[in-house]
Amino acid sequence: MTTENTVLYKNIVILTGAGISAESGIRTFRDQDGLWEEHRIEDVATPDAFRRDPALVQRFYNLRRAQLRDPSVQPNAAHMALAELEKHWEGQFLLVTQNVDNLHRRAGSKNLLHMHGKLDQVFCLNCDEHFTWVDDWDLEAPCPSCGKVGSVRPDIVWFGEMPYFSDEIYAALEKADFFVSIGTSGNVYPAAGFVQLAWKAHKIEVNLKDTEISRAFSEHFIGPASVEVPRLVQAFLEVNKE
Ligand code: APR
């Protein structure tokens, strides 16, 4: 971290994307072997897709959900370092993730917002109840709350839908004096625009390579998240200890 940062920060906002979970064995979306290479967004990740072919969409998310039950998929050093940072930090801390996996939660992060939903949750279009759901969802199963069949969908924010928690996120970005974006390609808005909204903040990007939005950041940690995030957290706590 550069010496200009030898100030005490108060309000941290961290944004994470698929890259932070890549080393845990969860595929990203837009890298060479990314999910969108194999599946068309409009077939599996839009409200229209669910109306047209709910079975295909449920199958796609059942496969993703199965990964969360795979014992080899565990939080990596980057998830752990962010949880440690939160634990040792007395100022405001908000972790916003675009990821729908549960690895930040399993690493111990607390003040965490899943802006694109959660893989281990479903909700009913009929009664609007949200449920934790870790197993496969069977399309013929009735909603556990209202009993309607065929109305339960993954609790994932699909393309064309409004991300969750916008008010809380924008309020935190407005106050942020330290903003870090980790493992996201900067292709999907509104998350790709958060760096602009954190106008007061010192801005750091962690990624394997330059992204669409790299120019908006003042510092870059280039390399795998499992190495760069612990390095960044250690440097940050060192500089900011009282
Ligand atoms: N360490 C750091 N960065 C990595 C690593 C790694 N080990 N592996 C990959 N990356 C970076 C890639 O270089 C890329 O910039 O992570 C980024 C992943 O980009 P995307 O696949 O586009 O994922 P993300 O930015 O999270 O996608 C945003 O798009 O499809 C939607 O809803 C989905 O939340 C997702 C959103």
Side-chain angles (χ1 to χ4, degrees):
M1 198 166 307
T2 55
T3 46
E4 71 184 82
N5 304 323
T6 49
V7 288
L8 286 182
Y9 293 108
K10 288 198 167 55
N11 301 313
I12 303 178
V13 179
I14 313 259
L15 171 69
T16 62
I20 196 167
S21 295
E23 293 162 83
S24 294
I26 295 185
R27 284 160 74 187
T28 64
F29 296 96
R30 295 177 185 78
D31 289 317
Q32 229 167 30
D33 62 342
L35 277 174
W36 299 151
E37 291 279 304
E38 247 176 57
H39 306 269
R40 287 172 4 125
I41 287 174
E42 50 276 33
D43 289 341
V44 293
T46 68
D48 261 2
F50 187 67
R51 274 190 289 273
R52 239 183 0 254
D53 194 344
L56 175 71
V57 174
Q58 292 288 12
R59 206 160 49 240
F60 177 76
Y61 287 100
N62 280 342
L63 283 173
R64 313 270 80 73
R65 211 174 288 125
Q67 283 198 295
L68 303 186
R69 305 191 299 269
D70 178 340
S72 71
V73 173
Q74 296 292 335
N76 65 49
H79 299 102
M80 303 306 278
L82 294 181
E84 275 303 298
L85 172 60
E86 180 177 7
K87 204 158 91 190
H88 290 102
W89 187 243
E90 290 185 357
Q92 179 187 291
F93 179 94
L94 178 63
L95 174 54
V96 180
T97 188
Q98 299 168 88
N99 298 344
V100 295
D101 66 53
N102 57 11
L103 297 179
H104 282 305
R105 260 177 293 151
R106 283 163 58 188
S109 287
K110 299 274 185 285
N111 203 12
L112 166 69
L113 297 177
H114 278 269
M115 65 179 290
H116 290 168
K118 294 177 181 169
L119 253 183
D120 54 8
Q121 204 161 276
V122 294
F123 78 93
C124 176
L125 290 163
N126 189 46
C127 68
D128 203 30
E129 279 291 320
H130 293 239
F131 311 93
T132 297
W133 203 269
V134 289
D135 296 320
D136 285 357
W137 181 262
D138 173 0
L139 206 56
E140 299 310 313
C143 164
S145 177
C146 70
K148 191 162 166 49
V149 171
S151 61
V152 172
R153 60 162 270 187
D155 198 354
I156 303 288
V157 176
W158 285 325
F159 284 88
E161 297 184 314
M162 284 287 288
Y164 293 142
F165 307 114
S166 299
D167 291 351
E168 290 97 317
I169 296 169
Y170 292 153
L173 288 168
E174 174 72 24
K175 280 198 288 179
D177 47 25
F178 195 77
F179 175 74
V180 188
S181 172
I182 303 165
T184 175
S185 59
N187 273 286
V188 175
Y189 283 81
F194 288 176
V195 61
Q196 309 290 352
L197 297 176
W199 60 280
K200 278 193 276 205
H202 182 69
K203 304 175 188 76
I204 299 183
E205 182 176 59
V206 182
N207 204 297
L208 286 178
K209 56 184 189 213
D210 274 353
T211 69
E212 299 289 327
I213 54 172
S214 286
R215 267 174 304 161
F217 292 85
S218 29
E219 244 187 295
H220 299 88
F221 282 57
I222 305 280
S226 69
V227 174
E228 297 304 318
V229 178
R231 191 164 78 81
L232 167 61
V233 166
Q234 197 184 12
F236 181 84
L237 288 174
E238 194 57 38
V239 166
N240 283 277
K241 70 176 171 234
E242 310 199 45

